[in-house]
Amino acid sequence: MSFLKYTGEFEKQNNNRYKFKMSDKKFLRKDNIAKISNPIIDNNFQMVFGKYPEITKNLLNSLLYPQSKQIKDVKYLPQNIPGQLGERNSLNSVRFDVLCKCELCDRSNQKKEMIIDIEMQKNFNIENTKRFILYLKKLYLTYNNTDIMIFALVFRKSDNPQKNNGSKTYIEQVNIDDYKEINKFDEFPIYQIDLCYCYKLIFKLKKDLWFNSENEKLQNEGKEWIKFLNISNWCKTIGEDLYILPELYPDFFESNQIYTAIKLLSEANNINIGYRNDDDELKKIIVEKDKIINELTEELKKFKDKYGK
């Protein structure tokens, strides 16, 4: 049984166990459940991918270089690039979701550095594309001797989108001549990945897909990341944006980094990863609390009877 097979459907049984439906028509039965919040929420996304470089490296390799694993190291860069001195209201300043410098090593063992800005975005619109162009301009001016990429993961609330809105855009030199004189500028890509359409291709149409020019097909790790980021499109929820998974073990996942990311989301919201039956646990706490109160009350009564008020 694996995360890739879990349908998001579950039910609580009379014996206080949970039954989780899998895509192969089988069921996984567990005593415990895990609750996680939505990973695409800004704070959650930045906590997971902006503080744990091994998780970020795994995400990028799994989606961009799923077979060659070209990214060998990830170092975070400042999220803010200010505007010019004297500009008011933070004009022309930018704030990135996750900005990192990656060390790549290709199949010929050639090493290079690349600045990758990872953005989580809801829906497609022209304003986002304009904003990403601004980001490219700022990044080029700040890191003008390094390759640069905008990698935007775009989510839209649809578990069965009719068409793909993803794109790969190249901004040519003419677009930024009026910003600053640039002597060396080839092409910097903006990848806008339609997460929901990718989910449809992988899990409903059973098709292969790839994002880079080398046609490296997504492996199971990459498919897990697509499913993870789409969790609100397929998984049942309890409360507001708290999604239910079977109790978490590393061997439930292809990648240990997916397991770690989900564990972080659970712990960050003060939710225990594996606990038995919400109601039963709450009852135990209340009973124990009442027991302690009764014992203290009885001791106090004995003290008053012996020594008076």
Side-chain angles (χ1 to χ4, degrees), residues 33-91:
I33 61 174
K35 295 179 181 179
I36 72 166
S37 57
N38 196 332
I40 70 167
I41 295 173
D42 287 346
N43 288 341
N44 291 345
F45 186 82
Q46 291 169 18
M47 177 196 69
V48 171
F49 298 108
K51 294 184 178 180
Y52 299 89
E54 287 302 311
I55 295 179
T56 304
K57 182 174 76 171
N58 187 269
L59 170 77
L60 292 172
N61 270 330
S62 297
L63 298 183
L64 289 171
Y65 309 105
Q67 296 176 39
S68 61
K69 306 292 185 186
Q70 291 187 30
I71 297 176
K72 305 303 180 185
D73 187 52
V74 167
K75 289 185 172 62
Y76 294 119
L77 297 171
Q79 290 180 287
N80 296 305
I81 296 181
Q84 298 296 317
L85 290 175
E87 291 181 326
R88 297 182 178 180
N89 301 321
S90 300
L91 185 65

Side-chain angles (χ1 to χ4, degrees), residues 199-227:
Y199 178 83
K200 177 181 178 180
L201 289 177
I202 294 169
F203 296 100
K204 296 189 176 183
L205 301 181
K206 309 299 181 183
K207 293 186 177 182
D208 292 324
L209 68 155
W210 54 88
F211 300 137
N212 68 12
S213 58
E214 299 176 26
N215 295 341
E216 294 187 23
K217 293 179 182 178
L218 256 64
Q219 305 300 298
N220 282 342
E221 285 188 2
K223 294 174 183 179
E224 280 190 331
W225 283 118
I226 296 295
K227 186 168 186 175

Side-chain angles (χ1 to χ4, degrees), residues 1 6 27 40 47 58 61 78 89 94 98 146 162 179 184 208 271 287 289:
M1 298 294 185
Y6 177 41
F27 291 92
I40 70 167
M47 177 196 69
N58 187 269
N61 270 330
N89 301 321
V94 298
V98 178
T146 308
Q162 298 302 309
Y179 190 81
K184 183 180 179 182
D208 292 324
I271 302 163
V287 168
K289 182 190 74 172

Side-chain angles (χ1 to χ4, degrees), residues 112-155:
K112 71 172 184 178
E113 288 186 339
M114 178 181 290
I115 304 296
I116 300 181
D117 169 30
I118 310 170
E119 295 288 325
M120 172 53 67
Q121 185 63 48
K122 292 183 179 179
N123 298 318
F124 291 85
N125 58 63
I126 189 62
E127 294 304 317
N128 288 338
T129 301
K130 291 178 179 178
R131 179 165 58 87
F132 295 149
I133 293 172
L134 171 64
Y135 287 5
L136 279 180
K137 295 175 181 180
K138 282 288 188 180
L139 288 171
Y140 181 79
L141 295 175
T142 306
Y143 306 101
N144 58 4
N145 293 318
T146 308
D147 289 344
I148 299 167
M149 176 194 296
I150 305 289
F151 191 60
L153 301 166
V154 185
F155 178 86

Side-chain angles (χ1 to χ4, degrees), residues 23-39:
S23 60
D24 57 7
K25 308 302 181 184
K26 295 181 180 180
F27 291 92
L28 181 64
R29 290 174 171 82
K30 293 288 184 180
D31 292 329
N32 303 328
I33 61 174
K35 295 179 181 179
I36 72 166
S37 57
N38 196 332

